[in-house]
Amino acid sequence: MNIRDKLFFCIFSVSIVCIVASMAISYVVFTRSNGIENQQKIRNKTKAITTALNYAVSKENLTQDNIKAKLENKIKEIADINNQNIEVYSLQGQYLFSNQEKKGNEKKRIPPYNLKNLEKTDINIKSTDPVSKRKYICSFILLRNNVFEPIAIVHYDSSIGKNIYWETFYQYEREILVGILCIIIICFISSRIIANGLTRRLNDIAKTIKETDITNKDFKHIKYYKDNELGTLINAYNSMITQIEDQKEQISYREKNEAWKEMAKQVAHEVKNPLTPMRLLVQNFERKFDVKDPNIETKVKQLTTSLVDQIDAISSVATAFSEYTKLPEKKDQKLNIHQETKDIIRLWNDQKEISLHSNKGNIIINMDKSYFTRIMNNLLKNAIQAKDDNRKLSIKVSLEQIHHKVNIRVEDNGIGIPENRINRIFEPNFTSKNSGMGLGLTMVKKLIEEYKGEISVTSEEGIGTTFLIQLPMGNIS
Ligand SMILES: Nc1ncnc2c1ncn2[C@@H]1O[C@H](COP(=O)(O)OP(=O)(O)O)[C@@H](O)[C@H]1O
Ligand SMILES: [Mg+2]
């Protein structure tokens, strides 16, 4: 069971328990108060009958023998007024008469235990009718004549109609049930909403965390301003992300520093490299110098050619380094990159190995022309240098304008880049070539990023390499 269902189940079951408890409590309270009220009703009825009997008895001289003759009509009258069946028994418990005629087995004796306490007080006891099996409360009153001799026992059924009691309760429960059904529906809906709301936030957070790629620059902070447990969790996550960002920045600063140091060493090395042969050459020349030598002119020529070559090598190192370290100030202009690419390719296309495809005749972007030229020159030069000796070189350049972006692809069928190197090719000073400075792609990346573009590479060893540049078109209106 997931958290959402658990939450929903909890809220819903608590609501149900509350409802059932409230019904039970109302049942208990109802039953209790009804019991008290019934007792009061029984007392009132007994009082009314006793008063009426006492009045009737006070008018006559009654004895145990003449009671039926003298009191029967009066009893009928009292029974009528009180809407109550009344039976009269002898002191020994024998049936004498009642307001209704009774047949055979209805004229029963009163069980003797009922009579014991009658001297002192009236008796109301719960009893079961032997014929109809109906439960009822039977009441007994000891009847005395006007000189206070006991003469008979009066018996009647004083129970209050149970049906009325239950009907009232059912009516009450029926009405309350409608209300409770509404509450259950509200509980059901609100518990679903609360559970969904809570878990939706959790799912959002999980999604953001999943999308966060710490190898990327793209960190997302989660916006949540409420001060609760979720807020604490999100704050912890956000501060963790800030820490990672800080650390990445520190690492990248350190890496850059390292790279610069490496490059300084490399430049020094590249400059020193030609100096040693130059020194040897000059020393050698001095040692063997002979003015009379008939070939002296040729020898001087050879020396100067070698020296100029080495000087050129040093100069090219210096040029590459200075090109990398300072970008010229960019002068944005409307550039038809389709036309520009055609012109650049023409310079490199010795054996017609480079083809160009474009999804539009003119693709105009806002960019410095020298930037674009340097980017394309570097990519094409690399592609040509990557030629695989086993097959004819083929380079495909494609331009594609999609909405406000252009995709530039340079695809070759060269030697490819091994997997363990591909992540390092944009680093300054990374090269696999003897003559390379490893600055070309570093500069290309820098130039592209100046225009808020991106460059990515895919490569397969022995098959070829594809560079993809995505550039925004910029403000060309
Ligand atoms: N098209 C390509 N095919 C294969 N390897 C490539 C390609 N382009 C670049 N590389 C690899 O990336 C490295 C860095 O390239 P770059 O920065 O231009 O420096 P350089 O060309 O001076 O070596 C190259 O040495 C090479 O190993
Ligand atoms: Mg290069």
Side-chain angles (χ1 to χ4, degrees), residues 206-207 256 352 391 451 469:
K207 199 168 152 237
K256 267 187 202 154
K352 307 269 174 256
R391 54 179 172 270
Y451 281 95
I469 299 169

Side-chain angles (χ1 to χ4, degrees), residues 285-310:
F285 183 79
E286 189 193 20
R287 211 173 338 112
K288 291 182 181 166
F289 182 74
D290 182 359
V291 201
K292 289 162 202 146
D293 188 342
N295 293 332
I296 190 68
E297 224 168 278
T298 338
K299 280 186 180 160
V300 170
K301 188 99 187 129
Q302 270 173 356
L303 174 75
T304 48
T305 318
S306 294
L307 284 180
V308 167
D309 280 354
Q310 301 293 4

Side-chain angles (χ1 to χ4, degrees), residues 68 121 125 165 184 216 240 246 251 278 321 358 371 415 431 439 441 444 469 475:
K68 178 172 165 132
T121 172
I125 50 166
Y165 159 69
I184 287 180
N216 222 338
M240 189 184 75
D246 285 353
I251 290 170
M278 277 164 84
F321 187 67
S358 172
Y371 275 50
I415 53 174
T431 181
L439 290 177
L441 288 179
V444 165
I469 299 169
N475 190 9

Side-chain angles (χ1 to χ4, degrees), residues 19-20 22-23 173 175-186:
I19 289 163
V20 170
S22 77
M23 278 177 92
E173 288 292 272
E175 275 167 22
I176 222 174
L177 209 65
V178 177
I180 282 169
L181 270 179
C182 293
I183 296 172
I184 287 180
I185 292 169
I186 292 169

Side-chain angles (χ1 to χ4, degrees), residues 378 381-382 385 433 438-441:
N378 266 292
K381 190 174 164 194
N382 279 347
Q385 285 173 340
K433 301 164 194 169
L439 290 177
L441 288 179

Side-chain angles (χ1 to χ4, degrees), residues 153-415:
I153 294 163
V154 174
H155 165 255
Y156 56 90
D157 167 8
S158 62
S159 42
I160 307 296
K162 270 241 162 190
N163 290 344
I164 297 168
Y165 159 69
W166 280 112
E167 237 166 59
T168 322
F169 181 71
Y170 286 143
Q171 165 109 21
Y172 169 75
E173 288 292 272
R174 228 175 288 136
E175 275 167 22
I176 222 174
L177 209 65
V178 177
I180 282 169
L181 270 179
C182 293
I183 296 172
I184 287 180
I185 292 169
I186 292 169
C187 282
F188 185 87
I189 295 170
S190 58
S191 53
R192 269 239 102 97
I193 291 172
I194 294 170
N196 277 347
L198 265 176
T199 49
R200 197 183 317 120
R201 279 308 312 177
L202 283 176
N203 286 340
D204 285 353
I205 296 168
K207 199 168 152 237
T208 320
I209 293 176
K210 234 187 255 170
E211 280 171 1
T212 305
D213 177 5
I214 56 167
T215 57
N216 222 338
K217 281 187 208 142
D218 183 26
F219 290 117
K220 273 188 202 147
H221 286 249
I222 302 172
K223 289 186 187 120
Y224 189 78
Y225 303 109
K226 283 185 194 150
D227 184 20
N228 54 22
E229 289 83 350
L230 220 51
T232 317
L233 178 74
I234 289 169
N235 281 343
Y237 169 80
N238 284 343
S239 70
M240 189 184 75
I241 285 294
T242 314
Q243 269 178 21
I244 293 176
E245 276 173 334
D246 285 353
Q247 270 179 9
K248 275 203 87 171
E249 222 159 85
Q250 278 175 22
I251 290 170
S252 116
Y253 174 76
R254 236 178 285 145
E255 274 176 356
K256 267 187 202 154
N257 236 1
E258 283 298 311
W260 276 112
K261 271 189 209 159
E262 259 313 298
M263 199 161 64
K265 262 194 231 163
Q266 176 82 6
V267 170
H269 180 74
E270 297 282 331
V271 171
K272 259 187 173 174
N273 259 352
L275 288 181
T276 320
M278 277 164 84
R279 193 165 194 264
L280 285 175
L281 214 62
V282 175
Q283 280 175 343
N284 219 8
F285 183 79
E286 189 193 20
R287 211 173 338 112
K288 291 182 181 166
F289 182 74
D290 182 359
V291 201
K292 289 162 202 146
D293 188 342
N295 293 332
I296 190 68
E297 224 168 278
T298 338
K299 280 186 180 160
V300 170
K301 188 99 187 129
Q302 270 173 356
L303 174 75
T304 48
T305 318
S306 294
L307 284 180
V308 167
D309 280 354
Q310 301 293 4
I311 289 166
D312 281 349
I314 297 175
S315 157
S316 79
V317 172
T319 315
F321 187 67
S322 76
E323 262 192 7
Y324 170 71
T325 47
K326 58 171 193 295
L327 297 179
E329 208 172 300
K330 55 180 184 185
K331 292 185 217 80
D332 286 358
Q333 64 192 89
K334 277 180 200 148
L335 205 63
N336 183 348
I337 58 166
H338 188 201
Q339 193 53 50
E340 289 301 324
T341 313
K342 256 193 214 165
D343 294 346
I344 297 165
I345 287 176
R346 198 173 303 123
L347 293 177
W348 294 98
N349 219 354
D350 283 345
Q351 277 120 39
K352 307 269 174 256
E353 66 273 69
I354 309 176
S355 63
L356 173 65
H357 298 276
S358 172
N359 76 339
K360 274 180 120 186
N362 292 320
I363 300 178
I364 314 285
I365 67 170
N366 203 25
M367 198 177 194
D368 184 314
K369 184 173 164 169
S370 73
Y371 275 50
F372 186 75
T373 313
R374 285 167 78 179
I375 292 169
M376 292 312 285
N377 275 342
N378 266 292
L379 293 183
L380 290 173
K381 190 174 164 194
N382 279 347
I384 290 166
Q385 285 173 340
K387 180 181 170 2
D388 191 328
D389 294 334
N390 300 324
R391 54 179 172 270
K392 189 175 178 291
L393 179 68
S394 152
I395 301 169
K396 290 178 193 155
V397 180
S398 74
L399 308 172
E400 191 182 23
Q401 183 193 332
I402 302 169
H403 302 298
H404 287 286
K405 279 198 167 173
V406 286
N407 292 341
I408 303 165
R409 256 188 207 87
V410 179
E411 186 184 345
D412 64 57
N413 66 344
I415 53 174

Side-chain angles (χ1 to χ4, degrees), residues 378-387 410-412 414-418 421 424-444 457 459 464-467:
N378 266 292
L379 293 183
L380 290 173
K381 190 174 164 194
N382 279 347
I384 290 166
Q385 285 173 340
K387 180 181 170 2
V410 179
E411 186 184 345
D412 64 57
I415 53 174
I417 306 170
R421 285 202 202 147
R424 303 189 52 207
I425 58 169
F426 294 105
E427 287 174 14
N429 196 30
F430 178 81
T431 181
S432 60
K433 301 164 194 169
N434 291 330
S435 60
M437 283 289 293
L439 290 177
L441 288 179
T442 316
M443 196 175 59
V444 165
V457 59
S459 182
T465 307
T466 305
F467 283 90

